[in-house]
Amino acid sequence: MLTLEWESEGLQTVGIVVIIFASLKLLHLLGLIDFSEDSVEDEMEIATVRHRPEALELLEAQSKFTKKELQILYRGFKNECPSGIVNEETFKEIYSQFFPQGDSTTYAHFLFNAFDTDHNGSVSFEDFIMGLSILLRGTVQEKLNWAFNLYDINKDGYITKEEMLDIMKAIYDMMGKCTYPVLKEDTPRQHVETFFQKMDKNKDGVVTIDEFIESCQKDENIMRSMQLFENVI
Amino acid sequence: MAAGVAAWLPFARAAAIGWMPVANCPMPLAPTEKNKRQDELIILNVSGRRFQTWRTTLERYPDTLLGSTEKEFFFNEDTKEYFFDRDPEVFRCILNFYRTGKLHYPRYECISAYDEELAFYGILPEIIGDCCYEEYKDRKRENAERLMDDNDSENNQEGSMPSLNLRQTMWRAFENPHTSTLALVFYYVTGFFIAVSVITNVVETVPCGTVPGNKELPCGERYAVAFFCLDTACVMIFTVEYLMRLFAAPSRYRFMRSVMSIIDVVAIMPYYIGLVMTNNEDVSGAFVTLRVFRVFRIFKFSRHSQGLRILGYTLKSCASELGFLLFSLTMAIIIFATVMFYAEKGSSASKFTSIPASFWYTIVTMTTLGYGDMVPKTIAGKIFGSICSLSGVLVIALPVPVIVSNFSRIYHQNQRADKRRAQKKARLARIRVAKTGSSSAYLHSKRNGLLNAALELTGSSDDEQHISKSTSLIESQHHHLLHCLEKTTNHEFIDEQLFEQNCMDNSMQNYPSTRSPSLSSNNGGSTSCCSRRNKKTTHLPNSNVPATRLRSMQELSTIHIQCSEQPSLTTSRSSLNMKSEDGLRPNCKTSHLTTAIITIPTPPALTPEGESSPHPTTNISTTCSNIVKVSAL
């Protein structure tokens, strides 16, 4: 009869719907599909890295600072970075506060790499002190060494024109847009050319550490400016 | 520059050694600390509670009471401490500001007491940190409103205001019916007539009695004349009221766009349209529809009822939530209607003729109304019908209390979001100002350094004292750092306006390029920047001297007019050189005198006067002498 036929059709509909729901539930149980859109929130590993520096006496012996100077330095360091280490983001942020007109992130990146001597991605107070010790209390040779290390981005012992160009562009970026005279596109390149003319003695396209130190020692201006920041602390 | 970062300034200066081998110019000399004091602990005695901190901590903010010499007024010689007869609780927050650079607002503190303390210690409330700023502003606004309300009620009780003109009195009367008895009378009269109008609309449709002719007539047609008179009276009152409001409104355009006036217009329009249109059979259908709009008169009650207004506003602000509810309901309806249709397809004489026809069943079932005009007959239909009604209970009944509680939450949230957006704009503006402040501080100090140099040239030492005020050591060190960067790159920092000006100038002028190679080939890199300066000055003698003098006069005039405007560094420097070359000593002196006098009062709190150490001036003087020689050629 017609009604019977259609009743069975209705029951068939029920059956199909039930089967669909059951299979979905099975797949969900098996973990193949996920119903909720926002999956289980990953436990954010807030790496609270706490770093305590070496003892004051040890640092005093290792660096050329006096106890009082170390105390002042540490207080300032800890104030800005309570966790005891600086990561690159914080470093860039701090450095950019000094140069409001330009973009100092690239140069800060190079600087960070120069300070982070063990290349673990963070600067601890010891790294900080070692770097400052060289810069403020070191001999001219040590300072020039440090500067060479800064320019040599891949730390292979040679400064190529590309590396120098990167550094130069980073420095010019810090000036920003509003300068007098107006910054041209090839100003950094020209500056690099001047630099290489002065430093590269054997004209082989790279500057080695010896060429660098030799050329700097010949230049009076550079020698004088190296002594400039002695009384910073 | 943020004070907390000042501790890193030594590091930034040390790192500047990285620029030295690259620079071609000699570096400026570093500022020396005049009196290098050992950092000492200061004791601050605030009403008996002793706070101790380093002197340098307080000196981070030199424009506040504790950071400047103003605190010396509170120094107690006997106990060798600074005594303040103020609230120690609030002082805790203020001292924390010096330590951390962030000012917090404690919630338990009274807002006006806190404001007073901030004013005493010379701290602007704008620097309250993000965490506490919203709370502070909210409390401040509440306080202001409370004071304003008090003022208003006082004023109202006092009686007559100073004479307002007719318009303003009328507007006040309309907005606050309690101001005068006439306004109150007007208020009640309009309310009465709104009620009358609504009741007539309702009663019009009631069938009252039969006319011989055994037809039931509604009252409206039986007593047509009476109802027409009532209607006319009501509409006349409404029209007069609307015109009076329009006349009294302070901003007519804004009034006409407001919701209430639109309701007014919609309420009285049908009557006039009915008057205009004759009893034309074609348009009478549309005319009947227009009469529906008469029911909008009931919304005029919202002027009389505060609650209605709040309800309307909350519905409007809750619109998104309601919209979502509607959307989810629609989805459920479509799903169930489809299912019911296909389930009932089998039964004979089924009312579920199509899916849209099933919509009605679904809605009635989901809202648990259950009229019973459509019922499923098949087993599958009944199963799904019951699922439908159960889910209807869930879908509709549950969100309603949530929406009710959402009303207040969303209402406040919306307001807070707008507030935050406005505050964000203000915050960004402040940050920008601070940034430009620090960069303009540097330019400012450079210019003052040059003025110092000029004055030294002209040999007037007494004016030097005017200019060289004591600045914080940190500021001078920061400026030295920026100066070194300038020397390294051979470019100078200038502000935006000068930059644009120079861009325009450059397109017009052309530097004499012939001279520069000869100059630069002379010496090595050390004089390249000097040659650049030579370039500047050698350009000028080619132009006529009156032009430069005119420019310098313009400098003076610009200084006179806009005290914040600074003359272009290059022109000032070059004019300086020009003047020293020309030997126009008196002119030089007077021009610099005027600039000196004017610049003293202008510097805002952020820009301290720059103090230049003696050596750079000698550098400049030597280069000046070089320039003199060259141009003499």
Side-chain angles (χ1 to χ4, degrees):
Chain A
M1 304 259 245
L2 219 57
T3 23
L4 271 168
E5 194 187 305
W6 284 353
E7 242 184 61
S8 68
E9 204 181 312
L11 274 170
Q12 273 175 13
T13 334
V14 177
I16 290 171
V17 170
V18 166
I19 286 172
I20 289 175
F21 274 120
S23 49
L24 280 174
K25 188 70 192 164
L26 185 67
L27 284 172
H28 179 56
L29 272 172
L30 289 176
L32 289 171
I33 51 175
D34 218 340
F35 281 134
S36 58
E37 270 305 314
D38 44 338
S39 43
V40 175
E41 291 187 7
D42 302 328
E43 300 287 326
M44 274 220 309
E45 288 285 327
I46 304 171
T48 44
V49 179
R50 294 246 175 276
H51 182 93
R52 228 180 289 144
E54 303 281 340
L56 192 54
E57 291 83 14
L58 201 63
L59 278 177
E60 194 187 348
Q62 283 175 355
S63 72
K64 302 204 181 81
F65 290 116
T66 67
K67 233 184 200 164
K68 262 219 171 298
E69 291 170 340
L70 283 173
Q71 279 177 343
I72 296 174
L73 278 170
Y74 188 66
R75 282 206 295 264
F77 184 84
K78 184 97 175 153
N79 208 16
E80 201 57 34
C81 317
S83 60
I85 53 167
V86 192
N87 59 358
E88 196 166 335
E89 289 310 311
T90 323
F91 189 87
K92 282 183 177 164
E93 221 179 275
I94 292 172
Y95 202 70
S96 63
Q97 304 242 10
F98 294 110
F99 302 98
Q101 281 203 335
D103 171 31
S104 54
T105 43
T106 334
Y107 189 71
H109 168 77
F110 293 132
L111 210 53
F112 187 81
N113 284 338
F115 267 89
D116 184 18
T117 41
D118 47 0
H119 301 291
N120 60 350
S122 61
V123 169
S124 66
F125 186 62
E126 286 93 347
D127 298 331
F128 186 65
I129 286 297
M130 287 307 136
L132 278 185
S133 172
I134 295 175
L135 288 172
L136 300 176
R137 302 271 187 266
T139 64
V140 175
Q141 187 91 355
E142 288 173 345
K143 288 182 193 171
L144 287 173
N145 225 338
W146 189 90
F148 185 84
N149 194 32
L150 173 69
Y151 299 148
D152 186 13
I153 298 178
N154 55 358
K155 316 280 180 241
D156 62 352
Y158 299 104
I159 304 179
T160 63
K161 277 203 178 154
E162 285 75 28
E163 289 174 338
M164 204 58 219
L165 188 60
D166 285 339
I167 300 266
M168 205 60 78
K169 279 205 192 125
I171 293 180
Y172 275 91
D173 278 343
M174 282 197 286
M175 290 295 294
K177 195 176 54 112
C178 303
T179 56
Y180 179 83
V182 179
L183 269 178
K184 299 199 189 48
E185 276 296 316
D186 59 343
T187 318
R189 187 170 291 279
Q190 278 178 5
H191 204 149
V192 170
E193 291 301 323
T194 330
F195 179 78
F196 264 79
Q197 262 173 26
K198 197 165 43 155
M199 300 281 165
D200 192 9
K201 288 288 180 271
N202 56 357
K203 306 289 175 219
D204 59 353
V206 294
V207 177
T208 63
I209 177 77
D210 302 310
E211 287 177 341
F212 182 72
I213 293 182
E214 205 187 309
S215 322
C216 287
Q217 277 173 341
K218 290 217 192 84
D219 190 335
E220 246 186 54
N221 271 335
I222 298 181
M223 284 294 116
R224 205 170 342 131
S225 55
M226 283 289 164
Q227 316 293 334
L228 198 58
F229 294 107
E230 295 237 309
N231 60 344
V232 161
I233 300 291
Chain B
M1 197 179 59
V5 191
W8 285 73
L9 188 57
F11 152 75
R13 300 184 67 214
I17 286 188
W19 306 333
M20 302 298 146
V22 174
N24 301 324
C25 276
M27 290 290 148
L29 279 169
T32 51
E33 295 182 42
K34 286 289 155 69
N35 40 351
K36 194 178 171 108
R37 278 182 298 199
Q38 283 293 334
D39 204 4
E40 47 167 345
L41 276 177
I42 298 186
I43 304 177
L44 300 157
N45 184 349
V46 183
S47 302
R49 211 196 290 187
R50 279 184 176 71
F51 297 87
Q52 287 185 331
T53 181
W54 298 107
R55 183 176 285 277
T56 44
T57 310
L58 291 180
E59 282 170 358
R60 282 189 195 151
Y61 297 97
D63 51 349
T64 59
L65 184 150
L66 291 171
S68 63
T69 52
E70 197 182 341
K71 63 177 183 284
E72 302 300 326
F73 285 104
F74 297 91
F75 189 65
N76 189 347
E77 286 293 338
D78 308 323
T79 51
K80 291 274 181 271
E81 57 189 22
Y82 293 88
F83 181 75
F84 296 95
D85 202 7
R86 312 284 301 185
D87 188 1
E89 302 287 331
V90 180
F91 189 77
R92 201 176 54 83
C93 299
I94 289 177
L95 195 54
N96 274 340
F97 166 61
Y98 286 90
R99 291 185 184 131
T100 61
K102 285 201 276 259
L103 181 63
H104 294 281
Y105 169 62
R107 278 158 210 251
Y108 53 80
E109 206 56 58
C110 167
I111 187 79
S112 38
Y114 190 74
D115 269 345
E116 272 175 31
E117 295 295 314
L118 284 185
F120 178 81
Y121 291 106
I123 298 176
L124 295 171
E126 268 68 38
I127 43 182
I128 291 181
D130 282 340
C131 41
C132 300
Y133 191 65
E134 198 182 317
E135 171 85 20
Y136 173 80
K137 276 290 175 197
D138 283 348
R139 294 276 293 269
K140 199 153 183 189
R141 199 172 27 92
E142 269 178 42
N143 203 31
E145 281 170 3
R146 201 176 305 131
L147 290 173
M148 206 171 60
D149 281 346
D150 287 345
N151 277 347
D152 270 357
S153 62
E154 273 177 30
N155 279 343
N156 285 343
Q157 284 159 15
E158 273 167 21
S160 64
M161 305 272 288
S163 61
L164 303 165
N165 59 7
L166 181 64
R167 260 182 85 176
Q168 284 168 329
T169 13
M170 276 176 70
W171 184 248
R172 265 190 74 233
F174 281 134
E175 293 298 302
N176 310 338
H178 303 284
T179 44
S180 68
T181 28
L182 192 60
L184 210 55
V185 163
F186 184 74
Y187 177 76
Y188 282 127
V189 161
T190 40
F192 173 72
F193 270 98
I194 294 173
V196 161
S197 164
V198 169
I199 291 173
T200 28
N201 281 346
V202 168
V203 170
E204 248 182 8
T205 57
V206 172
C208 46
T210 55
V211 172
N214 61 9
K215 207 169 102 170
E216 278 269 337
L217 271 181
C219 282
E221 284 179 29
R222 192 157 164 203
Y223 304 105
V225 179
F227 279 106
F228 182 72
C229 289
L230 264 175
D231 206 17
T232 316
C234 293
V235 168
M236 260 175 23
I237 301 268
F238 296 152
T239 319
V240 164
E241 181 209 351
Y242 180 71
L243 289 173
M244 278 187 4
R245 273 184 207 266
L246 191 62
F247 167 69
S251 155
R252 297 217 173 101
Y253 180 59
R254 204 156 55 95
F255 172 73
M256 278 177 52
R257 283 168 52 193
S258 71
V259 177
M260 289 312 301
S261 93
I262 290 176
I263 290 177
D264 288 339
V265 168
V266 167
I268 57 183
M269 261 328 180
Y271 177 78
Y272 288 110
I273 294 178
L275 276 186
V276 166
M277 280 200 303
T278 54
N279 262 342
N280 203 343
E281 280 304 313
D282 299 330
V283 292
S284 64
F287 181 57
V288 165
T289 323
L290 272 178
R291 294 181 87 132
V292 168
F293 283 101
R294 288 192 303 177
V295 81
F296 274 80
R297 287 179 198 167
I298 206 168
F299 284 113
K300 286 166 71 78
F301 265 129
S302 65
R303 271 217 188 88
H304 299 253
S305 157
Q306 173 84 337
L308 257 169
R309 274 207 296 270
I310 289 176
L311 181 66
Y313 182 76
T314 46
L315 276 175
K316 197 165 58 150
S317 64
C318 230
S320 64
E321 283 280 303
L322 288 173
F324 171 70
L325 175 64
L326 223 60
F327 176 68
S328 62
L329 264 179
T330 316
M331 263 179 25
I333 286 170
I334 292 176
I335 290 173
F336 278 110
T338 315
V339 168
M340 286 308 294
F341 171 70
Y342 282 111
E344 281 290 302
K345 215 164 159 193
S347 79
S348 57
S350 146
K351 291 236 173 75
F352 296 79
T353 48
S354 63
I355 293 185
S358 316
F359 280 168
W360 175 242
Y361 170 76
T362 321
I363 292 174
V364 166
T365 314
M366 281 185 91
T367 52
T368 70
L369 279 174
Y371 288 136
D373 53 349
M374 278 165 88
V375 280
K377 295 214 171 59
T378 58
I379 299 176
K382 285 185 179 158
I383 292 173
F384 282 115
S386 40
I387 296 176
C388 179
S389 57
L390 285 174
S391 66
V393 167
L394 287 173
V395 169
I396 290 179
L398 275 182
V400 169
V402 175
I403 284 184
V404 165
S405 74
N406 268 358
F407 273 172
S408 58
R409 190 176 59 83
I410 289 171
Y411 177 68
H412 288 302
Q413 229 179 34
N414 270 348
Q415 287 205 324
R416 235 178 260 139
D418 288 332
K419 251 190 288 170
R420 229 178 287 136
R421 241 175 282 134
Q423 281 167 15
K424 189 175 173 192
K425 264 187 247 166
R427 188 67 47 88
L428 287 174
R430 264 185 286 138
I431 292 174
R432 229 177 305 133
V433 163
K435 261 192 149 186
T436 51
S438 82
S439 48
S440 65
Y442 174 59
L443 298 169
H444 198 102
S445 72
K446 262 214 296 192
R447 194 173 39 92
N448 289 335
L450 291 167
L451 288 175
N452 265 343
L455 286 169
E456 284 217 333
L457 281 178
T458 61
S460 54
S461 55
D462 49 348
D463 294 315
E464 199 180 324
Q465 289 163 16
H466 280 293
I467 296 180
S468 57
K469 275 192 192 166
S470 66
T471 177
S472 84
L473 183 66
I474 288 181
E475 285 289 336
S476 62
Q477 286 179 346
H478 187 209
H479 293 160
H480 175 249
L481 182 67
L482 291 172
H483 202 178
C484 284
L485 182 61
E486 281 184 343
K487 282 281 184 288
T488 311
T489 56
N490 268 331
H491 288 72
E492 288 163 21
F493 286 114
I494 51 175
D495 59 5
E496 290 243 0
Q497 300 143 340
L498 289 170
F499 179 64
E500 258 121 57
Q501 226 177 42
N502 281 345
C503 285
M504 289 194 305
D505 288 347
N506 276 341
S507 56
M508 296 189 308
Q509 297 170 355
N510 42 351
Y511 285 105
S513 50
T514 52
R515 276 209 192 252
S516 41
S518 57
L519 287 172
S520 58
S521 62
N522 260 347
N523 310 334
S526 57
T527 55
S528 62
C529 63
C530 306
S531 67
R532 212 163 291 224
R533 249 188 243 158
N534 288 342
K535 235 203 282 190
K536 283 183 232 155
T537 50
T538 48
H539 174 245
L540 286 169
N542 295 339
S543 63
N544 21 346
V545 173
T548 57
R549 226 177 281 172
L550 193 63
R551 231 193 299 180
S552 64
M553 295 300 281
Q554 280 172 353
E555 279 173 40
L556 291 178
S557 58
T558 52
I559 292 172
H560 276 289
I561 293 169
Q562 301 149 324
C563 287
S564 56
E565 208 56 53
Q566 296 157 8
S568 146
L569 254 89
T570 54
T571 50
S572 69
R573 204 186 280 168
S574 46
S575 63
L576 190 151
N577 296 329
M578 271 303 299
K579 289 202 190 304
S580 62
E581 289 161 31
D582 291 348
L584 299 163
R585 288 294 169 109
N587 262 357
C588 190
K589 209 168 171 171
T590 51
S591 72
H592 287 296
L593 267 178
T594 47
T595 54
I597 291 170
I598 289 172
T599 49
I600 289 169
T602 46
L606 286 171
T607 64
E609 302 269 344
E611 185 187 312
S612 60
S613 44
H615 287 277
T617 59
T618 54
N619 272 343
I620 291 173
S621 60
T622 49
T623 51
C624 277
S625 54
N626 280 339
I627 290 165
V628 168
K629 281 188 209 150
V630 166
S631 62
L633 288 170

